[in-house]
Amino acid sequence: MEVTNKYIVIKHHIEGAPKESHFELKTEAFALSVEPGSDDIIVKNLYIAIDPYHINRMKSYSASQNSIIQATQITPGEAIDGSVIGKVVASGNAKFQKDDVVMGRFTWAEYSLVKEESILHKLESSEFPLSYYLGVLGPSGIAAYMGFFKFCRPQNGEKVFVSAASGSVGNLVGQYAKLSGCYVVGCAGSQRKVAFLKEKLGFDDAFNYKEETDLNSTLIRYFPDGIDMYFDNVGGEMLEAAIANMKAFGRVAVCGVISEYTDAGKRASPNMLDIVYKRITIRGFLSVDFANDFADFLAETSDCLRTGKLQVIEDISSGMESIPSAFVGLFNGDNIGKKLVKLSS
């Protein structure tokens, strides 16, 4: 059997902020059959995660492209790959059967031809929606959980600052910090998001960074006694201001630097004297670093969901045609929570 498969490509490498015009929706004939005994597996994609780090893969060059296989450069005209959940429709590999639900690195397409090595998990029947496994129970969730608990090592009563706090990782970090008895302040890019953080997620306070002319003074206002932990998702000037306001032995977990992804001129230059004399620990990390911790993370986070301790925040668009606007929207601050595109039920 053959179908028409839709998929998304970039027309050329992207320098600076992405635009919808940089993307193209293509179609191709796609056979829904595989050779028995082969490692070929055909997956009908159900949900695609839209993550900002892909912009670095879309550039003609980024230092991140040489770091891990998940960050390799994307070739213009070829289907983009990323975190996807789908259902097996045909398999030559005996480990996977028709109708198995799997998560892995598949193409941004309606159908993907994959190998076993591209599949991270087979998702058995679950009490939670499938979309959760790309967010709170997936890469975003483990980045928030491990980055906060393993590197920040929170203590009751400590002061926590979270940037991009309404995003897929930041909102979870703030919730974990509140569960740990910390005082939590987040920043976001609109008054609607600020209200969401305080009223919906229970942050102690929040501010709109776009309305602040002096971030250093802003953080002094919210943290007059200093910051114990900073969970960084943006880099740039925000990281500089946070470092300037850290307490002695403060901890900084660096999960992302989205402000620098589209503007190389915004590279952070924190005061190194602060880092040395305050003995500040700064640790960068990726969610893939914690593959060996996934089972424990999944068990503990699932329990938090069952007991209502965690709220799940998702922003879901529908259809392949929505992918370009969904991706561009990440850099315009359109989303709250995990951005996903739903292709099929």
Side-chain angles (χ1 to χ4, degrees):
M1 179 181 175
E2 192 172 84
V3 298
T4 298
N5 189 28
K6 295 179 182 178
Y7 62 102
I8 295 290
V9 304
I10 52 172
K11 298 176 182 177
H12 48 73
H13 285 129
I14 301 173
E15 311 301 336
K19 300 177 182 178
E20 290 185 44
S21 60
H22 291 148
F23 297 86
E24 183 178 0
L25 177 67
K26 287 193 168 188
T27 60
E28 65 177 0
F30 190 90
L32 295 182
S33 60
V34 296
E35 190 71 26
S38 70
D39 190 30
D40 290 341
I41 303 161
I42 295 175
V43 177
K44 181 179 182 180
N45 295 328
L46 306 178
Y47 288 94
I48 294 175
I50 308 298
D51 298 310
Y53 80 90
H54 284 296
I55 192 64
N56 297 314
R57 303 181 62 210
M58 297 174 183
K59 297 176 182 179
S60 57
Y61 173 76
S62 170
S64 64
Q65 294 171 2
N66 299 321
S67 59
I68 57 172
I69 191 170
Q70 291 87 346
T72 53
Q73 187 185 72
I74 292 169
T75 302
E78 294 186 1
I80 299 163
D81 65 305
S83 297
V84 178
I85 287 175
K87 182 178 289 188
V88 174
V89 296
S91 176
N93 185 319
K95 295 180 183 179
F96 300 94
Q97 306 299 318
K98 187 177 184 296
D99 293 331
D100 282 348
V101 177
V102 292
M103 173 184 167
R105 295 197 61 79
F106 312 149
T107 51
W108 286 7
E110 291 179 315
Y111 293 89
S112 297
L113 175 63
V114 307
K115 307 290 186 181
E116 181 181 348
E117 65 183 15
S118 299
I119 296 175
L120 298 177
H121 308 289
K122 184 189 293 187
L123 303 178
E124 308 297 344
S125 59
S126 172
E127 64 199 281
F128 304 114
L130 288 178
S131 59
Y132 284 20
Y133 292 92
L134 290 174
V136 64
L137 295 175
S140 296
I142 198 168
Y145 183 91
M146 299 302 297
F148 184 64
F149 288 109
K150 188 167 186 175
F151 300 140
C152 291
R153 305 181 310 279
Q155 299 295 318
N156 183 59
E158 288 191 308
K159 307 296 193 296
V160 179
F161 175 45
V162 185
S163 57
S166 65
S168 63
V169 176
N171 89 83
L172 294 171
V173 172
Q175 293 187 69
Y176 283 132
K178 288 304 300 177
L179 291 174
S180 301
C182 297
Y183 174 84
V184 187
V185 175
C187 72
S190 71
Q191 286 306 119
R192 177 175 73 99
K193 291 182 177 180
V194 167
F196 177 84
L197 293 174
K198 294 194 291 185
E199 297 168 11
K200 177 74 172 177
L201 297 186
F203 279 55
D204 294 287
D205 220 327
F207 64 89
N208 180 354
Y209 69 89
K210 293 181 179 179
E211 295 182 348
E212 303 294 337
T213 58
D214 183 341
L215 292 174
N216 187 55
S217 296
T218 300
L219 292 182
I220 291 174
R221 187 167 75 245
Y222 286 95
F223 296 97
D225 299 320
I227 301 168
D228 292 294
M229 291 166 278
Y230 172 43
F231 199 100
D232 186 25
N233 292 298
V234 302
E237 297 174 350
M238 194 68 73
L239 175 59
E240 294 173 5
I243 293 294
N245 285 277
M246 298 294 292
K247 291 182 182 180
F249 300 101
R251 292 88 74 197
V252 180
V254 183
C255 183
V257 288
I258 193 170
S259 73
E260 302 180 31
Y261 291 167
T262 57
D263 186 351
K266 288 189 175 181
R267 289 178 180 169
S269 300
N271 187 326
M272 296 304 295
L273 286 176
D274 279 333
I275 294 171
V276 172
Y277 283 91
K278 292 181 181 178
R279 288 84 88 201
I280 296 169
T281 300
I282 303 176
R283 174 66 184 265
F285 66 95
L286 301 170
S287 61
V288 296
D289 297 339
F290 308 112
N292 293 335
D293 300 294
F294 185 78
D296 290 340
F297 151 76
L298 187 63
E300 293 187 31
T301 305
S302 295
D303 187 59
C304 285
L305 293 174
R306 291 186 192 100
T307 56
K309 293 179 179 179
L310 276 183
Q311 297 188 58
V312 179
I313 313 301
E314 298 177 319
D315 187 330
I316 302 178
S317 302
S318 297
M320 289 297 301
E321 294 81 1
S322 73
I323 289 179
S325 61
F327 185 76
V328 172
L330 292 176
F331 299 88
N332 295 333
D334 294 345
N335 65 297
I336 294 181
K338 182 68 182 183
K339 184 63 190 178
L340 302 165
V341 169
K342 182 178 181 179
L343 300 183
S344 182
S345 301

